[in-house]
Amino acid sequence: MTGYAQLWRAAPGRWSEAGAAWSGLADPVRRRRAALADRAAALRTGWSGGAAGAADGRLGALRGELGGLLPALIEADQVLAEFAGRLRAAKARLAEAVALADRSGVLVDRRGGVSAAPVLAIPPGREAWTGPESGAFPRPVASRAAVGQVAGGVRNALALADAADREAATRLDELASATHAGWADPPPPGRPAADADPSAVRAWWAGLTPAQRRWLVLHEPGRVGHLDGVPVAARDQANRLLLADRREALLAERRDLLGRLASGPAVRAGLRRVDAALADLDGLAGRLSAAEPPRAYLLGLDPAGDGRAIVALGNPDRADQVLTYVPGMTADLADAPGELGRAGRVLSRCAGIAPGRETAAVLWLDFDAPDFLPEAARSAQARDAGPALHRFQQGLRETHEGPPARQTVLGHSYGSVVVGAAARDHGLDADALVFVGSPGVGVDRAEALRLPPERVWASTAPDDVIRLVEPPGQLAGRAVLATSPLATAVSLLRPDDHELWFGHDPSDPGFGGRTFPSGRYGHTGYWEAGNPALDGMARIVLGR
């Protein structure tokens, strides 16, 4: 059982670093596997016969064994990172309890025992105090309620740490046993469709053995990685394998292009394309491999076209609160690290407000965001994204462990149109919807979003140019103005009817939802540290 002093001394960062070290072994394993493939190919060119066939088979088996290690390395990282995260939450809860003890005159001894501090004789002219050994002078006299509250806080922190320790040990034991008892077995025929109902996917996954699930992650990562209703851990493993495979393919293509560089401009254009694709993947991989908390989970990846990605900070299956953030116009795979930073700032603010709560934030960039204003003036891309966002939110609910999490969906700019269309047309499994910098959400009243109006929130900065985006036919050309001084001046020229391009302004009280304030930070500044909108978003996520 985890003790008070043991938890106080615990260093979660070391466990995160250990997990990252395990995950970091994946690159050497891939290089070794590739080297075996090269050697096998070289042997086949000059060696034939039974012995050659046996050697080739053995090399193939070795490559298979090395490939089987890859998801195991990712899984070890997941276990250790999640243990570190829960340990941080336990330490935060313990620190809150000790801070309360300091404020209320409660003593916490080195073993975590809690009692009221003894009141000594009070010198003339002084307040009540508990002596210099308490570490504070003067100090208030503890009430019985305060003693009970501190004791409960300490017990809660130790219980969380103890549960996290036992769970991590069990998961690591199972992982070690699987490497001896048989890592992966093919599952029976039959797979859910890509757009299957997440509840059916969850039931299918639950009916598989651990070895069958690992086989699917290893051999069918493209299916597993994007299937709503598959647990977050398995999706992360599958998509990390896909990312590495895609990067290896691009590097091979680049080597081929370099060998034909003298062939002309078409080859040089191909090289620029490959380099850009590699830069996008490397930017995403950099955050995925980072040891600093929270650990990132890759829940979806499609490098085609502008690229798409779904990335979580923290494990949504295990969090008390889950934020899904949908970005706006021009967002693509190259922007994923920056957009993920916005989600991360909300997460950090949540940790500041409620240090002991476990919260996860998801960047949902699984749609074709408009690249230019003519595209952004139409709702077609938002409507097309609706079914996928609906399934994703339902999938989060299906795979969550323990009591249901509080789920919040946040849309910024055109992302708010996506969220609004999904909620209107399909419904969203969410406890709150949040719109910031919105040009309208496709409805004129909050109740049309299939949630009680009091669970719909919005904020628009006073100098956000989105306020200029009038409905079609009402001088909509002014929406191209992109500087705050002009926004202030031109707003005087338009009617103050709160009608925007995609409907009534959700940050207007007449919309029927709730609002929270934003400072003058323009269209992209809702996540700035000094903006009250950041605090507002975090409190909505926490349900406060």
Side-chain angles (χ1 to χ4, degrees), residues 436 457-462 467 507 514-521 525-526 530-537 539-540:
V436 293
W457 296 80
S459 181
T460 302
R467 292 178 178 272
S507 64
R514 303 172 73 179
T515 64
F516 58 100
S518 173
R520 301 181 67 85
Y521 287 83
Y526 295 94
N531 194 340
L534 178 61
D535 189 79
M537 288 185 282
R539 291 186 181 278
I540 295 166

Side-chain angles (χ1 to χ4, degrees), residues 67-107:
L69 281 176
L70 295 173
L73 297 174
I74 300 169
E75 190 170 344
D77 177 29
Q78 290 172 338
V79 173
L80 294 173
E82 289 169 15
F83 173 60
R86 301 192 81 186
L87 204 55
R88 286 187 191 91
K91 286 176 70 69
R93 294 182 188 184
L94 186 62
E96 282 188 300
V98 171
L100 175 61
D102 286 340
R103 294 193 303 270
S104 55
V106 175
L107 289 181

Side-chain angles (χ1 to χ4, degrees), residues 246-247 250-251 254 273-283:
R246 175 60 177 162
R247 191 174 183 280
L250 286 171
L251 288 172
R254 190 177 193 279
R273 173 186 55 79
V274 169
D275 285 344
L278 281 169
D280 291 349
L281 292 182
D282 287 346

